[in-house]
Amino acid sequence: MEHVKENGRAYSAVVWTSLGAAGVFEALTVLATQDNAVRAASPWQDDPYDVVVSSAQFAVPMLALVITLRLLAWRAPGGSDRVRQTVRAAGAMVTLVGLTVVSEWAAVFIRTPASSSGPWASVLIGGLVVNSVLTMVAAVSLRRCRRRRRSAGGPRNDWLGDAVFLCRQIPVLRRWFGPDAVVWVRRRAMTVFLTLSSLAAAALTGAQAIGERWTDPLLMAWFLIVAATSNLAFCVISNAVAGFIARPPRTRPRRIAEAAAVAGCVAISVATAFRDALWPLFGTGSLTSVPALAVLTLGAGLATSLVTAALLLACFPHGSSGPRRRFGAAATHLRRPGMHR
């Protein structure tokens, strides 16, 4: 028992190290993107780097928030699953930070001196060095944790179960978060992801429109779609990595449709980041028209979804189960986590 407690403290320390690295990254990123004077000197103020930085700016704190909340249930039943899933979530968060740091270094190496010089540029590059060191330390620590836990079995508890466990400790919330609510969320996980993604995208679009003083409804609609699809891809992929919601078995057409939709969402973000490089392949002149921008980015997403669906239909014969049994077993075991004491 003492050995288990020591391991739990060790894993908790690694997770907190990752959260610390993410906190420093977020503070420096907010400074580089929200202050006009600092942003003007930022080496990564332009696309495609800005798309990566902006995405990480919102995704990293979301992961940090759910990781922190799960630490509140660290000693609840299901500790083995919780440790494994929390380490995986921290790994996803650190990976996202690492990819952003790589993107920022690429911007530093190819920047023009006239566009990113002065004291603020030096401060940002110094912060980038700090971020790089902290990210490497967190990545090495997480790698060691995953090696020690590689022999563990499949998951039996998910983050949703822990959320219900915490809510049921509060008398006011106990009546609203019971087994029926858990079953409803698990069966409609994609609907929940889409709703949350759309709400977050609407808030982000409103803030962007006010801050940039947009008046074009088409531009706002395009930005709303891009933000919503980016959020949806983040929700589905992070759920697959960290096991936020253990989903019940799904039919083959539904699994293929979801995979194709996520691939299309990722393609929209990529096309948005590299729109200036892609536009010469399809048009002439500069990409200044909002309809052309929408056709290029959303068309890339639609084409990627169709190609992905066709490839999945061709590669996986009808009736193949794939990963359904693993997630199905987890969902069955977790059907009523609120009843555990």
Side-chain angles (χ1 to χ4, degrees):
M1 180 64 68
E2 189 66 28
H3 176 69
V4 173
K5 291 182 179 179
E6 291 180 359
N7 284 340
R9 287 193 292 267
Y11 292 126
S12 177
V14 171
V15 172
W16 279 113
T17 300
S18 302
L19 290 172
V24 174
F25 166 82
E26 185 66 17
L28 293 173
T29 301
V30 170
L31 174 65
T33 57
Q34 302 304 313
D35 186 279
N36 292 332
V38 180
R39 182 177 176 83
S42 173
W44 46 85
Q45 60 181 291
D46 300 320
D47 290 330
Y49 318 107
D50 186 59
V51 170
V52 179
V53 174
S54 298
S55 299
Q57 179 182 354
F58 292 97
V60 168
M62 292 299 101
L63 285 172
L65 176 61
V66 295
I67 290 172
T68 303
L69 290 177
R70 200 169 203 200
L71 289 175
L72 297 177
W74 196 250
R75 300 184 182 277
S80 178
D81 297 329
R82 183 175 303 105
V83 169
R84 181 168 58 254
Q85 292 167 353
T86 306
V87 169
R88 286 173 64 89
M93 180 179 64
V94 172
T95 299
L96 184 58
V97 172
L99 292 175
T100 308
V101 167
V102 171
S103 174
E104 292 173 346
W105 276 119
V108 169
F109 287 134
I110 69 173
R111 78 189 195 280
T112 58
S115 63
S116 55
S117 59
W120 276 121
S122 300
V123 171
L124 291 177
I125 294 174
L128 179 57
V129 173
V130 174
N131 273 333
S132 301
V133 174
L134 293 177
T135 302
M136 286 190 291
V137 171
V140 171
S141 301
L142 287 168
R143 181 63 179 174
R144 291 176 178 174
C145 281
R146 294 200 63 182
R147 283 179 179 175
R148 289 198 293 265
R149 299 199 61 84
R150 187 169 294 176
S151 61
R156 295 172 297 169
N157 298 279
D158 62 357
W159 300 59
L160 180 61
D162 279 356
V164 173
F165 174 83
L166 292 174
C167 290
R168 289 181 66 83
Q169 309 307 309
I170 304 174
V172 178
L173 299 178
R174 187 175 301 169
R175 57 179 297 187
W176 299 102
F177 295 92
D180 293 337
V182 172
V183 173
W184 188 93
V185 171
R186 289 204 175 103
R187 289 179 176 175
R188 297 166 177 82
M190 201 65 179
T191 301
V192 173
F193 293 150
L194 182 59
T195 301
L196 295 177
S197 300
S198 300
L199 292 175
L204 180 60
T205 302
Q208 188 75 8
I210 295 173
E212 300 294 334
R213 297 181 180 179
W214 288 348
T215 58
D216 188 348
L218 183 59
L219 177 60
M220 289 184 281
W222 170 80
F223 189 88
L224 175 65
I225 295 174
V226 171
T229 53
S230 176
N231 293 340
L232 180 60
F234 166 73
C235 289
V236 176
I237 294 174
S238 61
N239 185 68
V241 171
F244 296 118
I245 300 176
R247 305 180 64 185
R250 289 155 288 159
T251 62
R252 176 175 176 266
R254 181 172 178 177
R255 287 183 285 120
I256 291 177
E258 290 182 1
V262 172
C265 292
V266 174
I268 291 175
S269 297
V270 173
T272 301
F274 294 94
R275 59 187 181 274
D276 291 332
L278 293 175
W279 178 246
L281 301 176
F282 304 97
T284 58
S286 301
L287 182 58
T288 57
S289 170
V290 176
L293 176 63
V295 170
L296 174 65
T297 55
L298 303 185
L302 178 60
T304 302
S305 293
L306 294 176
V307 171
T308 302
L311 290 176
L312 291 176
L313 287 170
C315 294
F316 297 97
H318 182 73
S320 61
S321 59
R324 290 172 59 189
R325 291 182 180 178
R326 178 167 59 89
F327 290 109
T332 302
H333 181 83
L334 294 168
R335 186 170 299 276
R336 291 181 175 268
M339 301 302 292
H340 294 291
R341 293 289 183 182

